[in-house]
Amino acid sequence: MHLLNLGILAHVDAGKTSLTERLLHSAGVIDQIGSVDDGNTRTDTLALERRRGITIKSAVVSFPVDDVTVNLIDTPGHPDFIAEVERVLGVLDGAVLVVSAVEGVQPQTRILMRTLQRLRIPTLLFVNKIDRRGARYDDLLPVISERLRAAVVPMGSVDGLGTREAGFLPGLRSGAAAVLAEHDDELLTAYVENTVSYDLLRAALVTQTRQALVHPVYFGSAITGAGVDALIAGIKELLPPAEGDPQGPLSGTVFKVERGPAGEKVAYARMFSGTLRTRDRITFGDAGEGGKVTSVSVFDHGTDVECDSVQAGRIGRLRGLGEIRIGDAIGVPRKAYEHFFAPPTLETVVVPGPDADRRALHLALTQLAEQDPLIGLRHDEVRRETAVSLYGEVQKEVIQATLADEFGVRVTFRETTPLCIERPVGTGAAVEFNKKEANPFLATVGLRVEPGPVGSGVRFGLEVELGAMPYAFFKAVEDTVRETLGQGLYGWKVTDCAVTMTHSGYSARQSHAHQGFDKSMSSTGADFRGVTPLVLVEALRRAGSQVYEPMHRFRIEAPADTLAVLLPVLAALRAVPQTTETHGLLCVLEGQVPAAQVHGLERQLPGLTRGEGEWESAFDHYAPVAHGTVPERARTDHNPLNRKEYLLNVARRVA
């Protein structure tokens, strides 16, 4: 059996879910096509998705194409749910990127295409909505090629464009040979000598599509079905089948986790090698945790079917693995889990309603976070508050509705603020000695903090011999260093630094005569976990740290005559245009803007540009905070910046 794991991606409202419905109907999986407006589509199963008419969670559904079984994964189009798309990319054999024939290439289309190209995922383009008034064809193809920076091959022509009777006429157009010849010497020779055969052209198309060098373009309508049969034929012929040896070593990746009716975890895993069977005991994750698979189901003819095993190439739903997380490798790791998109750059505090059960809220937020690894929670036990990181305001609305609908917990949110970071300015060192002066912990720890290259994260090293004390104590120091750096001098996460352990020492295990181990005389891991934050923040204080705010790169297309109104508003919101180009009546601005101002700019743009402006933005880098007061974030730890307060909260033995 040939398998293909296919992703459907698009900018919001391009018709992605409608295309999924049409594909299932054409394959005979469903008898009636669902409607996004009516809320009865096969893949938008959440009540919130049906109510809002958008995809929030990725969904898997299967359909046959002759002897090929296609596992189709419908993904969200809204940029606030980009984390859902990220998880899918690592398990795909191919993709269909949907573009609207009316709106054309939109901001999210460009972001998705750049990522697909970077990962070299074979991708077909489907230009949807050719039956709509305002649909384009000839003038849209060069725009697609230019704005997506992709080599595209039109797979046919359109008849009756912009009418209900619009149709797609399959057939390679004359320009296909020129595009394909750029990557094929044999075809180039035949092209120059005017001896190109259909078979040679078709073979080159298949090869180059599977190598993600070119992207075939189909036109059609998910509503009327025009062009969909041609797209299905292209999916079968042009995209590569799933690879993997069912007899090889077990290897898979978890890309989605949800909760079943009884609250149990259900993991969606793509198997790359081997065969996973019910009742198998497996290892997963970086820590090598283990668990027993109690149930396996695979996708077939539009639904998931209970079975005894899931083989290489297939996607399975696994139960029984209570500690499994998104991104975990099953068995032999295939490759490290990568983040293809930027992390969230915004944060808000969740405010429980007057009748909300705080324990239920904590449980609900924890379950939401485990389904979305890019969304972090930050619990403040002192103030009894929880902050959640976000991509945007729509995501905040969805979290609010999900908590109310699925968990019965009503909440509001405080104002959304940017998520800053801290980086050390210089080098600083500090040390606390065992049994010396005011150190109440039976541990010697010395640390040096230095700046590291941008993007290097946190590196931990040793200048003391590893055998100088039990390894568990070194591990306690390293773990505590990484935890403590979650809150720097201003309360933000400290990154891009190197921390080196310069001193170590401990009190060996001791006991009184005829008695057991005496904690008051012997070092424990708690001593090293207790003293490390004091040493680290003192070293960081001596090094100094600077707060950086997230910056987005932006691109605005707007009528040129609106530029005089647009530029002062950009300046007031600290947006800095770096390039300005005018193309006839259209002006294109590109530049940088603080993440905190993105939502405000998006809201104002339609009014400033008579509704004709197009906005695109994405996280680019962190920049030093240069305006106003340096932002601080309330601490959620025992505040090692205040030694007296920290010792009162943490120390169990005071010298």
Side-chain angles (χ1 to χ4, degrees), residues 485-609:
L485 288 178
Q487 302 179 75
L489 302 181
Y490 297 93
W492 303 104
K493 180 179 179 181
V494 181
T495 187
D496 300 336
C497 64
V499 179
T500 305
M501 190 170 182
T502 58
H503 297 74
S504 67
Y506 74 110
S507 296
R509 184 181 180 93
Q510 299 180 41
S511 60
H512 295 290
H514 310 297
Q515 294 182 10
F517 169 56
D518 188 347
K519 286 185 178 182
S520 66
M521 301 169 60
S522 313
S523 297
T524 66
D527 288 298
F528 288 89
R529 288 190 293 272
V531 74
T532 296
L534 290 173
V535 178
L536 182 60
V537 297
E538 182 58 32
L540 187 61
R541 200 196 314 259
R542 294 174 182 178
S545 73
Q546 186 167 20
V547 177
Y548 289 70
E549 64 178 333
M551 301 292 292
H552 281 224
R553 62 179 180 275
F554 72 84
R555 184 178 190 274
I556 297 175
E557 286 189 12
D561 62 356
T562 64
L563 195 59
V565 177
L566 194 55
L567 287 176
V569 176
L570 292 176
L573 294 175
R574 295 196 287 131
V576 181
Q578 296 172 322
T579 62
T580 305
E581 298 178 1
T582 302
H583 305 282
L585 300 177
L586 188 69
C587 179
V588 179
L589 293 175
E590 293 188 356
Q592 297 178 357
V593 60
Q597 307 296 341
V598 168
H599 183 58
L601 258 176
E602 287 177 326
R603 286 185 303 179
Q604 293 188 52
L605 190 65
L608 297 171
T609 60

Side-chain angles (χ1 to χ4, degrees), residues 95-127:
V96 173
L97 182 62
V98 184
V99 180
S100 168
V102 180
E103 289 83 9
V105 175
Q106 296 170 280
Q108 188 74 350
T109 319
R110 287 160 53 91
I111 293 171
L112 291 169
M113 190 60 174
R114 283 198 297 264
T115 306
L116 290 166
Q117 289 174 320
R118 186 168 70 247
L119 300 176
R120 303 194 68 79
I121 296 175
T123 303
L124 310 181
L125 298 178
F126 184 76
V127 182

Side-chain angles (χ1 to χ4, degrees), residues 226-519:
V228 173
D229 287 342
L231 175 64
I232 291 174
I235 290 171
K236 178 186 176 184
E237 178 189 8
L238 302 176
L239 296 180
E243 297 179 350
D245 180 8
Q247 308 303 321
L250 188 67
S251 178
T253 298
V254 176
F255 66 92
K256 178 178 178 177
V257 173
E258 64 183 17
R259 292 277 176 173
E264 77 281 12
K265 274 189 181 180
V266 181
Y268 287 66
R270 158 76 191 267
M271 303 308 299
F272 294 99
S273 175
T275 300
L276 178 61
R277 297 177 175 83
T278 305
R279 293 184 293 279
D280 278 357
R281 184 165 290 278
I282 61 172
T283 58
F284 52 84
D286 296 336
E289 296 176 282
K292 182 179 179 181
V293 179
T294 59
S295 171
V296 172
S297 59
V298 297
F299 294 91
D300 191 26
H301 280 77
T303 186
D304 60 304
V305 181
E306 291 283 340
C307 62
D308 295 330
S309 63
V310 54
Q311 296 183 337
R314 301 204 74 156
I315 291 174
R317 298 177 80 232
L318 314 178
R319 284 181 166 85
L321 307 175
E323 301 302 318
I324 204 159
R325 296 173 298 276
I326 292 170
D328 279 352
I330 294 176
V332 179
R334 179 169 173 262
K335 63 178 180 179
Y337 181 69
E338 299 179 62
H339 289 321
F340 307 127
F341 299 99
T345 56
L346 302 172
E347 184 180 60
T348 184
V349 173
V350 182
V351 180
D355 300 325
D357 184 332
R358 289 183 178 271
R359 287 178 298 180
L361 173 60
H362 184 276
L363 177 62
L365 288 171
T366 301
Q367 289 192 14
L368 288 180
E370 73 184 13
Q371 297 172 21
D372 198 335
L374 292 186
I375 303 303
L377 296 180
R378 185 172 180 268
H379 300 293
D380 185 339
E381 299 298 337
V382 177
R383 297 169 184 81
R384 300 183 69 192
E385 293 178 347
T386 299
V388 58
S389 52
L390 302 165
Y391 281 99
E393 295 298 315
V394 172
Q395 187 181 22
K396 184 162 71 173
E397 295 170 14
V398 167
I399 291 174
Q400 183 180 37
T402 302
L403 289 172
D405 294 349
E406 297 187 16
F407 299 95
V409 180
R410 300 197 176 278
V411 302
T412 56
F413 297 94
R414 290 189 193 154
E415 182 183 1
T416 302
T417 56
L419 267 174
C420 299
I421 62 170
E422 292 182 46
R423 291 185 176 128
V425 175
T427 299
V431 62
E432 295 269 355
F433 290 100
N434 184 9
K435 299 180 180 178
K436 291 287 183 70
E437 299 176 352
N439 179 11
F441 302 100
L442 295 180
T444 294
V445 172
L447 297 171
R448 184 175 67 248
V449 177
E450 305 167 90
V454 173
S456 62
V458 176
R459 293 178 297 169
F460 182 81
L462 298 176
E463 278 186 2
V464 294
E465 292 186 9
L466 192 57
M469 63 182 187
Y471 173 74
F473 294 162
F474 285 111
K475 187 69 168 62
V477 172
E478 180 177 357
D479 290 347
T480 307
V481 163
R482 296 186 182 279
E483 180 182 348
T484 304
L485 288 178
Q487 302 179 75
L489 302 181
Y490 297 93
W492 303 104
K493 180 179 179 181
V494 181
T495 187
D496 300 336
C497 64
V499 179
T500 305
M501 190 170 182
T502 58
H503 297 74
S504 67
Y506 74 110
S507 296
R509 184 181 180 93
Q510 299 180 41
S511 60
H512 295 290
H514 310 297
Q515 294 182 10
F517 169 56
D518 188 347
K519 286 185 178 182

Side-chain angles (χ1 to χ4, degrees), residues 36-37 39-41 44-54:
V36 173
D37 293 335
N40 58 355
T41 57
D44 285 347
T45 56
L46 298 178
L48 186 59
E49 291 178 313
R50 298 180 185 275
R51 191 164 65 246
R52 295 184 66 107
I54 60 172

Side-chain angles (χ1 to χ4, degrees), residues 601-625:
L601 258 176
E602 287 177 326
R603 286 185 303 179
Q604 293 188 52
L605 190 65
L608 297 171
T609 60
R610 300 190 300 271
E612 299 178 48
E614 181 180 306
W615 168 268
E616 176 184 340
S617 73
F619 170 78
D620 189 65
H621 67 285
Y622 287 95
V625 174

Side-chain angles (χ1 to χ4, degrees), residues 162-182:
T163 70
R164 190 72 176 178
E165 290 72 36
F168 181 70
L169 308 176
L172 286 174
R173 297 180 64 183
S174 56
V179 175
L180 294 167
E182 294 184 14

